[in-house]
């Protein structure tokens, strides 16, 4: 499969996942983002939607829960509203994976295997070293609550497509794969899966640099 074919297949796969989400009726869906809106959002926030993510949001933009909030449930909308959302809130959500991981570093976490070298003894120096290391990892784009897709590369290559496929659940240093692609994530998050089902891990070529390593 060529790079262009992989991009088109990624867009189609995202659209199929969006149709399944609509069938499940778990969110309020607005019109999908237009090409002009994608261009504006990407320029404003310095991100690139991977093809699957782009196809998903072009088919219909999730803007809120479908059901009323339950008692004790967070009042925060789990869906980022890329059309009309508060830019400050969107920037906060974009930065959350790194900031929460830095909080974990400040409180003693350090990646295993010597990835970043020895941990500095001073917590402030450890945070500074971690921030520098994280500047080169793929950005994560919020999908729903603390589920994320990796940013695309903008290159149209197969590597760029693969980088956007797995859905990651990220809270501080606690990272897991929550679906090999958007379709699997929709079923796992909103469908009625068997609680005992083991969900396969992404193929080696689909893993997201750094973040998938945290997931194991």
């Amino acid at each position: 499969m060529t790079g262009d074919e992989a991009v088109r297949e990624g867009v189609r796969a995202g659209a199929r996942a969006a149709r399944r989400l609509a069938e499940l009726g778990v969110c309020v869906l607005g019109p999908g983002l237009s090409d002009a809106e994608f261009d504006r959002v990407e320029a404003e926030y310095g991100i690139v939607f991977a093809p699957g993510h782009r196809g998903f949001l072009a088919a219909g933009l999730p803007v809120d829960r479908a059901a009323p909030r339950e008692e004790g449930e967070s009042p925060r909308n789990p869906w980022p509203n890329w059309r009309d959302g508060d830019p400050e809130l969107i920037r906060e959500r974009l930065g959350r994976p790194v900031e929460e991981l830095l909080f974990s570093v400040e409180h003693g976490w350090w990646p295993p295997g010597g990835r970043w070298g020895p941990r500095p003894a001073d917590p402030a120096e450890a945070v500074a070293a971690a921030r520098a290391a994280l500047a080169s990892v793929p950005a994560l784009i919020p999908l729903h609550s603390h589920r994320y897709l990796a940013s695309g590369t903008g290159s149209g290559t197969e590597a760029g497509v693969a980088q956007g496929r797995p859905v990651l659940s990220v809270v501080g240093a606690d990272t897991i794969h929550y679906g090999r692609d958007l379709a699997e994530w929709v079923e796992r998050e909103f469908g009625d899966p068997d609680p005992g089902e083991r969900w396969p891990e992404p193929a080696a070529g689909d893993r997201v640099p750094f973040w998938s390593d945290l997931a194991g």
Side-chain angles (χ1 to χ4, degrees):
M1 184 182 294
T2 67
D4 287 345
E5 289 170 341
V7 168
R8 288 193 290 272
E9 176 52 32
V11 171
R12 288 193 292 268
R16 288 194 295 271
R19 288 194 292 272
R20 177 56 178 151
L21 183 71
E23 290 172 0
L24 289 168
V26 294
C27 64
V28 177
L29 285 168
L33 293 180
S34 67
D35 287 344
E37 287 176 312
F38 277 114
D39 290 345
R40 176 188 63 78
V41 169
E42 290 181 332
E44 183 171 356
Y45 298 109
I47 58 177
V48 177
F49 290 103
H53 202 171
R54 191 179 182 101
F56 182 76
L57 297 175
L61 180 67
V63 294
D64 206 346
R65 303 172 176 88
R69 290 169 177 79
E70 297 179 2
E71 185 176 354
E73 191 174 13
S74 170
R76 175 172 284 192
N77 183 358
W79 297 100
N81 187 337
W82 297 106
R83 176 176 289 122
D84 300 316
D86 181 345
E88 184 176 344
L89 179 58
I90 289 177
R91 289 191 177 90
E92 186 271 330
R93 294 187 68 165
L94 284 164
R96 190 180 302 163
V98 166
E99 292 305 315
E100 288 186 349
L101 191 56
L102 292 175
F103 180 83
S104 296
V105 168
E106 184 179 6
H107 290 81
W109 181 84
W110 198 249
R115 171 187 290 272
W116 293 346
R119 176 186 169 91
D122 180 81
E125 292 181 7
V127 168
R131 189 181 295 277
L134 290 168
S136 62
V137 308
L140 297 184
I141 302 179
L143 174 63
H144 172 270
S145 187
H146 50 273
R147 316 292 192 228
Y148 298 86
L149 283 169
S151 175
T153 63
S155 63
T157 64
E158 289 183 17
V161 175
Q163 199 176 86
R165 286 188 62 199
V167 175
L168 291 153
S169 177
V170 181
V171 181
D174 183 9
T175 300
I176 62 173
H177 292 114
Y178 220 81
R180 289 171 297 175
D181 53 28
L182 278 161
E184 189 172 274
W185 167 72
V186 167
E187 293 300 333
R188 186 173 181 180
E189 188 85 59
F190 302 109
D192 188 23
D194 180 346
E197 182 175 355
R198 281 184 65 88
W199 296 87
E201 290 294 304
D206 292 339
R207 291 170 64 86
V208 180
F210 178 75
W211 299 104
S212 283
D213 291 342
L214 294 186

